[in-house]
Amino acid sequence: MTSRMTPLLENNEQFAGTYTPVPLGLPAAKVIVVTCLDHRVDPAIILGLKLGDAPVLRNAGGRVTEPVMEEIAFLAFLGQKLSGRRATGDVGVEVAVIHHTQCGTGFLADPDFRREASAATGVDEATLEASAVGDPQISVSADVERLLASPLLPPKMGVSGYVYDLENGRVTTVVDTQYR
Ligand SMILES: [Zn+2]
């Protein structure tokens, strides 16, 4: 039986042919990436990440939501456990938040669009509004601040912010690594 997955599963056959397992441990790049789920924004491709390099958390806009903060807290805990650093409080990884230009969530800044999207999806308007990325420089700065202000963020964990420009493929630094 063929489906839209058929060519992708064929790709996987090729991948599995030369696959080398990566043991569970700290991510090699020592970075947790938070970014948009947009199919034009794939951190593995734009940042050259390989298997085992970095956990990636993706949602609409790449926004630092409560669930994202909970995931980061858990990943930090797990990383400390796996690396035996729990006692020292050294998290060993930092967070990079990457927003991008031309984000589809930008439409959500328009109240009419937002109302229609809410009615169609059942997601409340406030949640939709919170995921909007209009100016990525502004939203990424706000999200770095939000993470730094969260009690869920482990002490000594660095956070930085970037914008990925879909026009030229370039990632630029908006907020250098900050600590709480
Ligand atoms: Zn987006």
Coordinates of all heavy atoms in Angstrom, one line a residue, residues 88-174:
T88 N 26.1 19.5 42.1 CA 26.8 20.8 41.9 C 25.8 21.9 41.4 O 26.2 23.0 41.4 CB 27.9 20.6 40.9 OG1 27.3 20.3 39.6 CG2 28.9 19.5 41.3
G89 N 24.6 21.5 40.9 CA 23.7 22.4 40.3 C 24.1 22.9 38.9 O 23.5 23.7 38.3
D90 N 25.2 22.3 38.4 CA 25.6 22.7 37.1 C 24.7 22.0 36.0 O 24.6 20.7 36.0 CB 27.1 22.2 36.9 CG 27.6 22.5 35.5 OD1 26.9 23.1 34.7 OD2 28.7 22.0 35.2
V91 N 24.0 22.7 35.2 CA 23.0 22.1 34.3 C 23.7 21.6 33.0 O 23.2 20.7 32.4 CB 21.9 23.1 33.9 CG1 20.8 23.1 35.0 CG2 22.3 24.4 33.6
G92 N 24.8 22.2 32.7 CA 25.6 21.6 31.5 C 25.0 22.0 30.1 O 25.6 21.6 29.1
V93 N 23.8 22.5 30.1 CA 23.2 22.9 28.8 C 22.6 24.3 29.0 O 22.3 24.8 30.0 CB 22.0 22.0 28.4 CG1 22.6 20.6 27.9 CG2 21.0 21.8 29.5
E94 N 22.4 25.0 27.8 CA 21.7 26.3 27.8 C 20.6 26.2 26.8 O 20.5 25.3 26.0 CB 22.7 27.4 27.6 CG 23.4 27.4 26.3 CD 24.3 28.7 26.1 OE1 25.2 28.8 26.9 OE2 24.0 29.5 25.2
V95 N 19.7 27.3 26.9 CA 18.6 27.3 26.0 C 18.7 28.4 25.0 O 19.2 29.5 25.3 CB 17.3 27.6 26.8 CG1 16.1 27.7 25.9 CG2 17.1 26.6 27.9
A96 N 18.4 28.1 23.7 CA 18.5 29.0 22.6 C 17.0 29.1 22.1 O 16.5 28.1 21.6 CB 19.4 28.6 21.5
V97 N 16.5 30.3 22.1 CA 15.1 30.5 21.6 C 15.3 31.2 20.2 O 16.0 32.2 20.1 CB 14.3 31.5 22.5 CG1 12.8 31.6 22.0 CG2 14.3 30.9 24.0
I98 N 14.7 30.6 19.2 CA 14.8 31.1 17.8 C 13.4 31.4 17.2 O 12.7 30.5 17.0 CB 15.6 30.1 16.9 CG1 16.9 29.7 17.5 CG2 15.8 30.7 15.5 CD1 17.6 28.6 16.8
H99 N 13.2 32.7 17.0 CA 11.9 33.0 16.3 C 12.3 33.4 14.8 O 13.5 33.5 14.5 CB 11.2 34.2 17.0 CG 10.6 33.8 18.3 ND1 9.9 34.7 19.1 CD2 10.6 32.7 18.9 CE1 9.5 34.1 20.2 NE2 9.9 32.8 20.1
H100 N 11.3 33.5 14.0 CA 11.7 33.7 12.6 C 10.8 34.7 11.9 O 9.7 35.0 12.3 CB 11.7 32.4 11.8 CG 10.3 31.8 11.6 ND1 9.6 32.0 10.4 CD2 9.5 31.1 12.4 CE1 8.5 31.3 10.5 NE2 8.4 30.8 11.7
T101 N 11.3 35.3 10.8 CA 10.5 36.2 10.0 C 9.4 35.5 9.2 O 9.5 34.2 9.1 CB 11.4 36.9 8.9 OG1 12.0 35.9 8.1 CG2 12.5 37.7 9.6
Q102 N 8.4 36.2 8.8 CA 7.3 35.6 8.0 C 6.6 34.5 8.7 O 6.1 33.5 8.1 CB 7.8 35.0 6.6 CG 8.5 36.0 5.7 CD 9.1 35.3 4.5 OE1 8.7 34.2 4.1 NE2 10.2 35.9 4.0
C103 N 6.5 34.6 10.0 CA 5.9 33.5 10.8 C 4.4 33.5 10.6 O 3.7 34.5 10.6 CB 6.2 33.6 12.3 SG 5.6 32.2 13.3
G104 N 3.8 32.3 10.4 CA 2.4 32.2 10.1 C 1.5 32.6 11.3 O 0.3 33.0 11.1
T105 N 2.1 32.6 12.5 CA 1.4 33.1 13.7 C 1.1 34.6 13.6 O 0.4 35.1 14.4 CB 2.1 32.7 15.0 OG1 3.4 33.4 15.0 CG2 2.4 31.2 15.1
G106 N 1.8 35.3 12.7 CA 1.7 36.7 12.6 C 0.3 37.2 12.3 O -0.2 38.2 12.8
F107 N -0.5 36.3 11.6 CA -1.9 36.6 11.3 C -2.7 36.7 12.6 O -3.7 37.4 12.6 CB -2.5 35.4 10.5 CG -1.9 35.3 9.1 CD1 -1.3 34.1 8.7 CD2 -2.0 36.3 8.2 CE1 -0.8 34.0 7.4 CE2 -1.5 36.2 6.9 CZ -0.9 35.0 6.5
L108 N -2.2 36.1 13.7 CA -3.0 36.1 14.9 C -3.0 37.4 15.6 O -3.8 37.6 16.6 CB -2.5 35.0 15.9 CG -2.7 33.6 15.4 CD1 -1.9 32.6 16.2 CD2 -4.2 33.2 15.5
A109 N -2.2 38.4 15.1 CA -2.2 39.7 15.7 C -3.5 40.5 15.3 O -3.9 41.4 15.9 CB -1.0 40.5 15.2
D110 N -4.1 40.0 14.2 CA -5.4 40.6 13.7 C -6.6 40.0 14.4 O -6.8 38.8 14.4 CB -5.5 40.3 12.2 CG -6.8 40.7 11.6 OD1 -7.6 41.4 12.3 OD2 -7.1 40.3 10.4
P111 N -7.4 40.8 15.1 CA -8.5 40.4 16.0 C -9.5 39.5 15.2 O -10.0 38.5 15.7 CB -9.1 41.6 16.5 CG -8.0 42.7 16.4 CD -7.2 42.3 15.2
D112 N -9.8 39.9 14.0 CA -10.8 39.2 13.1 C -10.3 37.8 12.8 O -11.0 36.8 12.9 CB -11.1 40.0 11.8 CG -11.9 41.2 12.1 OD1 -12.6 41.3 13.2 OD2 -11.8 42.2 11.3
F113 N -9.0 37.7 12.4 CA -8.4 36.4 12.1 C -8.4 35.6 13.3 O -8.7 34.4 13.3 CB -7.0 36.6 11.6 CG -6.3 35.4 11.2 CD1 -6.3 34.9 9.9 CD2 -5.6 34.6 12.1 CE1 -5.7 33.7 9.5 CE2 -5.0 33.4 11.8 CZ -5.0 33.0 10.4
R114 N -8.1 36.2 14.4 CA -8.0 35.4 15.7 C -9.3 34.9 16.1 O -9.4 33.7 16.5 CB -7.5 36.4 16.8 CG -6.8 35.7 17.9 CD -5.9 36.7 18.7 NE -6.6 37.8 19.2 CZ -6.2 39.1 19.1 NH1 -5.1 39.4 18.4 NH2 -6.9 40.1 19.6
R115 N -10.4 35.7 16.0 CA -11.7 35.3 16.3 C -12.2 34.1 15.5 O -12.7 33.1 15.9 CB -12.7 36.4 16.1 CG -14.0 36.3 17.0 CD -14.8 37.6 17.0 NE -14.0 38.8 17.4 CZ -13.8 39.8 16.6 NH1 -14.2 39.9 15.3 NH2 -13.0 40.8 17.0
E116 N -11.9 34.2 14.2 CA -12.2 33.1 13.2 C -11.5 31.9 13.5 O -12.0 30.7 13.5 CB -11.9 33.6 11.8 CG -12.5 32.7 10.7 CD -12.2 33.2 9.3 OE1 -11.7 34.4 9.2 OE2 -12.3 32.4 8.4
A117 N -10.1 32.0 13.8 CA -9.3 30.9 14.2 C -9.8 30.2 15.4 O -9.8 29.0 15.5 CB -7.9 31.3 14.3
S118 N -10.2 31.0 16.4 CA -10.7 30.4 17.7 C -11.9 29.6 17.5 O -12.1 28.5 18.0 CB -10.9 31.6 18.7 OG -11.4 31.1 19.9
A119 N -12.9 30.2 16.7 CA -14.1 29.5 16.4 C -13.9 28.2 15.7 O -14.6 27.2 15.9 CB -15.1 30.4 15.6
A120 N -12.9 28.2 14.7 CA -12.7 27.0 13.9 C -11.9 25.9 14.7 O -12.1 24.7 14.4 CB -11.9 27.4 12.7
T121 N -11.1 26.3 15.6 CA -10.2 25.3 16.3 C -10.6 25.0 17.7 O -10.2 24.0 18.3 CB -8.8 25.9 16.4 OG1 -8.8 27.1 17.1 CG2 -8.2 26.1 15.0
G122 N -11.4 25.9 18.4 CA -11.8 25.7 19.8 C -10.7 26.1 20.7 O -10.8 26.0 21.9
V123 N -9.6 26.7 20.2 CA -8.5 27.2 21.0 C -8.9 28.7 21.4 O -9.4 29.4 20.6 CB -7.2 27.3 20.3 CG1 -6.1 27.8 21.2 CG2 -6.8 25.9 19.8
D124 N -8.8 29.0 22.7 CA -9.3 30.3 23.1 C -8.4 31.5 22.5 O -7.2 31.3 22.3 CB -9.5 30.5 24.6 CG -8.2 30.4 25.4 OD1 -7.5 31.5 25.4 OD2 -7.8 29.4 25.9
E125 N -9.0 32.6 22.4 CA -8.4 33.7 21.7 C -7.1 34.2 22.4 O -6.2 34.6 21.7 CB -9.4 34.9 21.5 CG -10.4 34.7 20.4 CD -11.1 35.9 20.1 OE1 -10.5 37.0 19.9 OE2 -12.4 35.9 20.0
A126 N -7.1 34.2 23.7 CA -6.0 34.6 24.5 C -4.8 33.8 24.2 O -3.6 34.2 24.0 CB -6.3 34.7 26.0
T127 N -5.0 32.4 24.1 CA -3.9 31.5 23.8 C -3.4 31.7 22.4 O -2.1 31.8 22.2 CB -4.4 30.0 23.9 OG1 -5.0 29.8 25.2 CG2 -3.3 29.0 23.7
L128 N -4.3 32.0 21.5 CA -3.9 32.2 20.1 C -3.0 33.5 20.0 O -2.0 33.6 19.4 CB -5.1 32.3 19.2 CG -5.8 31.0 18.9 CD1 -7.1 31.3 18.2 CD2 -4.9 30.0 18.1
E129 N -3.5 34.6 20.8 CA -2.8 35.8 20.7 C -1.4 35.7 21.3 O -0.5 36.3 20.9 CB -3.6 36.9 21.5 CG -3.1 38.3 21.4 CD -4.0 39.4 22.0 OE1 -4.9 39.0 22.8 OE2 -3.7 40.5 21.7
A130 N -1.3 34.9 22.4 CA 0.0 34.7 23.0 C 1.0 34.0 22.2 O 2.2 34.1 22.4 CB -0.2 33.9 24.3
S131 N 0.5 33.3 21.1 CA 1.5 32.5 20.3 C 1.9 33.4 19.1 O 2.7 33.0 18.3 CB 0.9 31.2 19.8 OG -0.2 31.4 18.9
A132 N 1.3 34.6 18.9 CA 1.6 35.4 17.7 C 3.0 35.9 17.7 O 3.5 36.4 18.7 CB 0.6 36.6 17.6
V133 N 3.7 35.8 16.6 CA 5.0 36.4 16.4 C 4.8 37.4 15.2 O 4.7 37.0 14.1 CB 6.1 35.4 16.0 CG1 7.4 36.1 15.6 CG2 6.3 34.4 17.1
G134 N 4.7 38.7 15.6 CA 4.6 39.7 14.6 C 6.0 40.2 14.2 O 6.6 39.8 13.2
D135 N 6.7 40.9 15.2 CA 8.1 41.2 15.0 C 8.9 40.2 15.8 O 8.9 40.2 17.1 CB 8.3 42.7 15.5 CG 9.8 43.1 15.4 OD1 10.7 42.2 15.3 OD2 10.0 44.3 15.4
P136 N 9.7 39.3 15.1 CA 10.4 38.3 15.9 C 11.4 38.8 16.8 O 11.7 38.1 17.8 CB 11.0 37.4 14.8 CG 11.0 38.3 13.5 CD 9.9 39.2 13.7
Q137 N 12.0 40.0 16.5 CA 13.0 40.6 17.5 C 12.3 40.9 18.8 O 12.9 40.6 19.9 CB 13.5 41.9 16.9 CG 14.1 41.8 15.5 CD 15.6 42.0 15.5 OE1 16.2 42.3 16.5 NE2 16.2 41.8 14.4
I138 N 11.1 41.4 18.8 CA 10.4 41.7 20.0 C 9.9 40.5 20.7 O 10.2 40.4 21.9 CB 9.2 42.7 19.7 CG1 9.7 44.0 19.1 CG2 8.3 42.8 20.9 CD1 8.6 44.9 18.6
S139 N 9.3 39.5 20.0 CA 8.8 38.3 20.7 C 9.9 37.5 21.2 O 9.8 36.9 22.3 CB 7.9 37.5 19.7 OG 8.6 37.2 18.6
V140 N 11.1 37.4 20.5 CA 12.1 36.5 21.1 C 12.8 37.2 22.3 O 13.1 36.4 23.3 CB 13.2 36.2 20.0 CG1 14.3 37.3 19.8 CG2 13.8 34.9 20.3
S141 N 12.9 38.5 22.3 CA 13.4 39.2 23.5 C 12.4 38.9 24.7 O 12.9 38.7 25.8 CB 13.5 40.7 23.3 OG 14.4 40.9 22.2
A142 N 11.1 39.0 24.4 CA 10.1 38.8 25.5 C 10.2 37.4 26.0 O 10.0 37.2 27.2 CB 8.7 39.1 24.9
D143 N 10.4 36.4 25.1 CA 10.4 35.0 25.6 C 11.7 34.7 26.4 O 11.6 33.9 27.3 CB 10.2 34.1 24.4 CG 8.8 34.0 24.0 OD1 7.9 34.7 24.6 OD2 8.4 33.1 23.1
V144 N 12.8 35.3 26.0 CA 14.0 35.1 26.8 C 13.8 35.7 28.2 O 14.1 35.0 29.2 CB 15.2 35.8 26.1 CG1 16.4 35.9 27.1 CG2 15.6 35.1 24.9
E145 N 13.2 36.8 28.3 CA 12.8 37.4 29.6 C 11.9 36.5 30.4 O 12.0 36.3 31.6 CB 12.2 38.8 29.4 CG 13.1 39.9 29.0 CD 14.3 40.0 30.0 OE1 14.0 40.1 31.2 OE2 15.4 40.1 29.5
R146 N 10.9 36.0 29.7 CA 9.9 35.1 30.3 C 10.5 33.9 30.9 O 10.2 33.5 32.1 CB 8.8 34.7 29.3 CG 7.8 33.8 29.8 CD 6.4 34.0 29.1 NE 5.4 33.5 29.9 CZ 4.6 32.5 29.6 NH1 4.7 31.9 28.5 NH2 3.7 32.1 30.5
L147 N 11.5 33.3 30.2 CA 12.1 32.1 30.7 C 13.0 32.5 31.9 O 13.1 31.7 32.9 CB 13.0 31.5 29.5 CG 13.4 30.1 29.6 CD1 12.3 29.2 30.1 CD2 13.9 29.6 28.2
L148 N 13.7 33.6 31.8 CA 14.6 34.0 32.9 C 13.8 34.3 34.1 O 14.3 34.1 35.2 CB 15.5 35.2 32.4 CG 16.6 35.0 31.4 CD1 17.1 36.3 30.9 CD2 17.7 34.1 32.0
A149 N 12.6 34.7 34.0 CA 11.8 35.1 35.1 C 11.0 33.9 35.7 O 10.5 34.0 36.8 CB 10.8 36.2 34.7
S150 N 11.1 32.8 35.0 CA 10.3 31.6 35.4 C 11.0 30.9 36.6 O 12.2 30.6 36.5 CB 10.1 30.6 34.3 OG 9.6 29.4 34.8
P151 N 10.2 30.5 37.6 CA 10.8 29.7 38.7 C 11.2 28.3 38.3 O 11.9 27.6 38.9 CB 9.7 29.7 39.8 CG 8.5 30.1 39.0 CD 8.9 30.9 37.9
L152 N 10.6 27.9 37.1 CA 10.9 26.6 36.6 C 12.3 26.5 36.0 O 12.9 25.4 35.8 CB 9.9 26.2 35.5 CG 8.5 25.9 35.9 CD1 7.6 25.7 34.8 CD2 8.4 24.7 36.8
L153 N 12.9 27.7 35.6 CA 14.3 27.6 35.0 C 15.3 27.3 36.1 O 15.4 28.0 37.1 CB 14.6 29.0 34.4 CG 15.9 29.0 33.6 CD1 15.7 28.3 32.2 CD2 16.4 30.4 33.4
P154 N 16.1 26.3 35.9 CA 17.1 26.0 36.9 C 18.1 27.1 37.1 O 18.4 27.8 36.1 CB 17.8 24.7 36.4 CG 16.9 24.2 35.3 CD 16.2 25.4 34.8
P155 N 18.6 27.3 38.3 CA 19.7 28.4 38.4 C 20.9 28.0 37.6 O 21.1 26.8 37.3 CB 20.0 28.3 39.9 CG 18.9 27.5 40.6 CD 18.3 26.6 39.5
K156 N 21.6 29.0 37.1 CA 22.8 28.8 36.3 C 22.5 28.3 34.9 O 23.5 27.8 34.2 CB 23.8 27.8 37.0 CG 24.2 28.1 38.4 CD 25.3 27.1 38.8 CE 25.5 27.2 40.3 NZ 26.4 26.2 40.8
M157 N 21.3 28.3 34.5 CA 21.0 27.9 33.1 C 20.9 29.2 32.2 O 20.1 30.1 32.5 CB 19.7 27.2 33.1 CG 19.5 26.5 31.7 SD 18.1 25.3 31.8 CE 18.5 24.1 30.6
G158 N 21.8 29.2 31.2 CA 21.8 30.3 30.3 C 20.7 30.3 29.3 O 20.2 29.2 28.9
V159 N 20.2 31.5 28.9 CA 19.2 31.6 27.9 C 19.6 32.7 26.9 O 20.0 33.8 27.3 CB 17.8 32.0 28.5 CG1 16.7 32.0 27.4 CG2 17.4 31.1 29.6
S160 N 19.5 32.4 25.6 CA 19.8 33.4 24.6 C 18.7 33.4 23.5 O 17.9 32.5 23.4 CB 21.1 33.1 23.9 OG 21.2 31.8 23.5
G161 N 18.6 34.5 22.7 CA 17.6 34.6 21.7 C 18.1 35.0 20.3 O 19.1 35.8 20.2
Y162 N 17.4 34.5 19.3 CA 17.9 34.7 17.9 C 16.7 34.9 17.0 O 15.6 34.4 17.3 CB 18.7 33.4 17.4 CG 19.8 33.1 18.4 CD1 19.5 32.3 19.5 CD2 21.1 33.5 18.2 CE1 20.4 32.0 20.4 CE2 22.1 33.2 19.2 CZ 21.7 32.5 20.3 OH 22.7 32.2 21.2
V163 N 17.0 35.5 15.8 CA 16.0 35.5 14.8 C 16.5 34.9 13.5 O 17.7 35.2 13.1 CB 15.5 37.0 14.5 CG1 14.7 37.0 13.2 CG2 14.7 37.6 15.6
Y164 N 15.7 34.0 12.9 CA 16.1 33.3 11.7 C 15.4 34.1 10.6 O 14.1 34.2 10.6 CB 15.7 31.9 11.7 CG 15.9 31.1 10.4 CD1 17.1 31.1 9.8 CD2 14.8 30.5 9.8 CE1 17.3 30.4 8.6 CE2 15.0 29.8 8.6 CZ 16.2 29.8 8.0 OH 16.4 29.1 6.8
D165 N 16.1 34.5 9.6 CA 15.6 35.3 8.5 C 15.3 34.4 7.3 O 16.3 33.8 6.7 CB 16.5 36.4 8.1 CG 15.9 37.4 7.1 OD1 15.0 37.0 6.3 OD2 16.3 38.6 7.0
L166 N 14.1 34.2 6.9 CA 13.7 33.3 5.8 C 14.2 33.8 4.5 O 14.2 33.0 3.5 CB 12.2 33.0 5.8 CG 11.7 32.0 6.9 CD1 10.2 32.0 7.0 CD2 12.2 30.6 6.5
E167 N 14.5 35.1 4.4 CA 14.9 35.6 3.1 C 16.3 35.2 2.8 O 16.6 34.9 1.6 CB 14.9 37.2 3.1 CG 13.5 37.8 3.1 CD 12.8 37.5 1.7 OE1 13.5 37.6 0.7 OE2 11.6 37.2 1.7
N168 N 17.2 35.2 3.8 CA 18.6 34.9 3.4 C 19.2 33.7 4.2 O 20.3 33.4 4.1 CB 19.5 36.1 3.7 CG 19.3 36.6 5.1 OD1 19.0 35.8 6.0 ND2 19.6 37.9 5.3
G169 N 18.3 33.0 5.0 CA 18.8 31.8 5.7 C 19.7 32.1 6.9 O 20.3 31.2 7.5
R170 N 19.8 33.4 7.3 CA 20.8 33.8 8.4 C 20.1 33.8 9.7 O 19.0 34.4 9.9 CB 21.4 35.1 8.0 CG 22.6 35.4 8.8 CD 23.6 36.3 8.1 NE 24.4 35.6 7.0 CZ 24.4 35.9 5.7 NH1 23.7 36.9 5.3 NH2 25.1 35.2 4.9
V171 N 20.8 33.3 10.7 CA 20.4 33.4 12.1 C 21.2 34.5 12.8 O 22.4 34.4 12.8 CB 20.6 32.1 12.9 CG1 20.2 32.2 14.4 CG2 19.7 31.0 12.3
T172 N 20.5 35.5 13.3 CA 21.3 36.6 14.0 C 20.9 36.6 15.5 O 19.8 36.3 15.9 CB 21.0 38.0 13.4 OG1 19.6 38.2 13.4 CG2 21.5 38.1 12.0
T173 N 21.9 37.0 16.3 CA 21.7 37.0 17.7 C 21.0 38.3 18.1 O 21.3 39.4 17.7 CB 23.1 37.0 18.4 OG1 23.8 35.9 18.0 CG2 23.0 37.0 20.0
V174 N 19.9 38.1 18.9 CA 19.1 39.3 19.4 C 19.5 39.5 20.9 O 19.6 40.6 21.3 CB 17.6 39.1 19.2 CG1 16.8 40.2 19.8 CG2 17.3 38.9 17.8

